[in-house]
Structure formats: structure tokens, C-alpha cells
Amino acid sequence: MITNNLENQKDSKEHNISEEKFEEIESRYRILVDNMSEGLLQVDNKDVIIFANTRFCEMSGYTFNELKGKVGYLTLFDDTERNIIENKNKLRQQGVVDTYEIKMRCKNDSYKWVQIGGSPITDIKGEVDGSIGVFTDITDRIRIEQELKESEKKYRDLFEKSGDAILIINNGRFMDCNQATINMLHYKNKKDLLNTHPSELSPDIQPDGRLSLEKADEMMRLALEKGSYRFEWNHKKADGEIFPVEVLLTAISSE
């Protein structure tokens, strides 16, 4: 009896130590999860939210109590995004890990663009028992990309619709031009004059007696050194007609 009691006490003590250790580890990981820079959302197989860390609550504007028990894709995404989420959920139930970008609806009907890294969760039997999504707020990046696209479109319109001939030169060859250039040189399309050296669209000799090839290279060098350079030049149209132009070369960053 004494032996059994001692063994029982020993088992009970080891059990208590094990529980304390488990609680300590759980507490430590909860602190780590709550202090992640990314939002973390856990759902079950029916996409019902069962956990959200502090960062996700900050991102979405919801408290965890407001999210708990809600169907994730119904709460956080509009109709246009729900089909995407449902398809991603089906893939994760098959064990597929994926990353994608999507617009998330936050509290009070505000929106954020997020990148989601989705991973399935398996139980002790190895069966999928829900999934975890790691959410990164990419709203600023999407906004900047959109602003760049709008800016690019604006300057592309200015470039294409300008009445003056504009050409872009890179490594001594024409890489792009606007419609005014095509009209001026009497070419049918851009393909006929792109990837050519300026001297190829000119007579062999310029009015000052210099070779077009030699002078063109010098003018481009001076433009790079000074930032811009203006000079007179003779060009040649597609039909062979030679005509004078004033050229302004301006150096721009390739970036």
C-alpha cells in the first residue's frame, strides 16, 4: 500500500509538472503568435473562424469575439472574392499550400488588399482539419502600383499624342517612337524604324561634312554628359527624301 501510494504521488507530481510545462509552452507560443507582424487566422473545415491573432484583428478592425464562430469567406470577402476563397479552401482540404493576393472587407465596410499564405492543418490521423491563413497587408503596395500604372498611362498618352516626333534611344539604337515620328519619316509602322542607329535614318554625310555615324555617336555622348544637347541634323524619309530637323537629345534614367 505504501509503495502504491508513493507511486501514485510520483505519477501525480509528474503529471502536474507536465501540465505546467505544457501551459508554459502554450503561453510562450501564444505570445509569439500575438506579436507576429502578420495577421493569423485559423478556420475549421467549414471555414468557421476559431482563432485570430492580435495583428489580424488590427488589420480587419474586428475583435476576436466579433470574428469567432463566423464563416470566414462570408464575413471578410465580397461576392467577387468569395468564389476565389471557396476554391482555395477546396485546394487546402486536399493538402495544397498556396499564396495569393485578394481584397479583404474589413469592419465598417472598409477594404484592404492582403496577401494570404494558406496552409492546411492536419489532425493526429493525418486528415485535414481546417487551415491557417497568414495575412500580410499589401494595401500600400497595391496603391503605389496603381498610381504608377496611372502615371505611366498619362505619360504614354502624352508621348503617343504629341505632335512632335519623339524617339527613345538606348545603347545607340531607337527603342520606341510615337506616331508623329512615323508620319514625319513616312514609315508604315514602328517596326520599320526601331532597333536602328540614328545614322541609318540619315544621309551618309551631314551638312557640316561629318559622317552621320560619327556625329550621331558624338551628339549622344554630349547629351549624356551635359544632360541635354540641341543641334541641327539632316534626316532621310523612307522614300529617300532628305530634310532638315532640329534635334533636342535629353538623357533620362533607364530605371
Side-chain angles (χ1 to χ4, degrees):
M1 288 293 293
I2 294 175
T3 302
N4 287 338
N5 285 337
L6 288 173
E7 288 178 352
N8 289 338
Q9 289 175 8
K10 181 180 179 182
D11 290 342
S12 177
K13 185 176 181 181
E14 289 177 351
H15 178 72
N16 289 335
I17 292 172
S18 178
E19 279 189 350
E20 289 174 3
K21 190 68 174 176
F22 177 79
E23 289 175 358
E24 179 187 342
I25 293 172
E26 183 182 30
S27 175
R28 186 179 302 168
Y29 278 105
R30 178 170 288 277
I31 291 171
L32 287 172
V33 167
D34 265 338
N35 284 278
M36 287 175 61
S37 58
E38 293 85 11
L40 194 70
L41 189 73
Q42 183 179 352
V43 298
D44 64 16
N45 277 332
K46 295 182 179 180
D47 204 47
V48 173
I49 298 170
I50 57 179
F51 176 76
N53 72 347
T54 300
R55 177 59 183 143
F56 184 85
C57 292
E58 291 172 351
M59 287 170 59
S60 66
Y62 291 101
T63 65
F64 175 56
N65 287 335
E66 291 173 321
L67 292 170
K68 187 177 180 181
K70 300 285 181 65
V71 177
Y73 69 90
L74 292 176
T75 305
L76 299 168
F77 302 96
D78 288 338
D79 291 340
T80 52
E81 286 82 23
R82 285 174 187 170
N83 290 335
I84 298 173
I85 294 296
E86 288 181 283
N87 290 334
K88 296 295 183 181
N89 287 343
K90 289 176 183 177
L91 288 173
R92 284 199 293 275
Q93 287 172 11
Q94 299 169 17
V96 177
V97 177
D98 57 0
T99 301
Y100 54 99
E101 297 176 358
I102 195 168
K103 188 167 70 171
M104 182 176 75
R105 187 180 70 223
C106 304
K107 191 174 181 179
N108 300 324
D109 289 330
S110 61
Y111 291 86
K112 285 185 178 177
W113 276 94
V114 293
Q115 182 182 70
I116 305 176
S119 301
I121 297 174
T122 56
D123 58 21
I124 57 175
K125 296 179 181 179
E127 297 178 356
V128 176
D129 191 30
S131 62
I132 284 182
V134 178
F135 288 67
T136 303
D137 187 347
I138 58 171
T139 305
D140 286 343
R141 195 200 81 196
I142 295 294
R143 175 182 56 78
I144 291 170
E145 288 177 354
Q146 184 61 37
E147 289 175 354
L148 285 172
K149 287 179 182 178
E150 292 173 358
S151 177
E152 182 182 11
K153 182 180 183 303
K154 178 177 69 176
Y155 285 105
R156 169 60 65 174
D157 286 345
L158 290 172
F159 175 79
E160 292 291 355
K161 296 176 182 179
S162 172
D164 295 324
I166 304 174
L167 300 100
I168 296 176
I169 303 173
N170 187 38
N171 293 327
R173 293 190 169 271
F174 293 126
M175 292 194 62
D176 199 1
C177 70
N178 62 355
Q179 185 61 41
T181 303
I182 297 171
N183 298 339
M184 182 183 73
L185 294 172
H186 291 184
Y187 281 88
K188 292 181 180 179
N189 52 58
K190 291 184 181 183
K191 290 182 181 179
D192 293 336
L193 58 88
L194 295 187
N195 200 32
T196 59
H197 188 275
S199 62
E200 296 177 58
L201 304 178
S202 312
D204 292 339
I205 305 295
Q206 288 297 309
D208 60 1
R210 299 184 63 185
L211 292 172
S212 290
L213 177 62
E214 176 189 290
K215 185 172 181 178
D217 286 341
E218 183 183 355
M219 297 301 101
M220 288 186 283
R221 177 181 60 78
L222 288 171
L224 290 173
E225 289 176 359
K226 297 176 180 295
S228 66
Y229 196 74
R230 190 183 298 271
F231 58 97
E232 292 182 352
W233 185 265
N234 274 2
H235 260 307
K236 184 170 65 175
K237 297 180 181 180
D239 59 9
E241 179 187 347
I242 296 172
F243 65 103
V245 296
E246 183 180 69
V247 179
L248 173 63
L249 285 180
T250 301
I252 58 173
S253 170
S254 61
E255 296 177 0

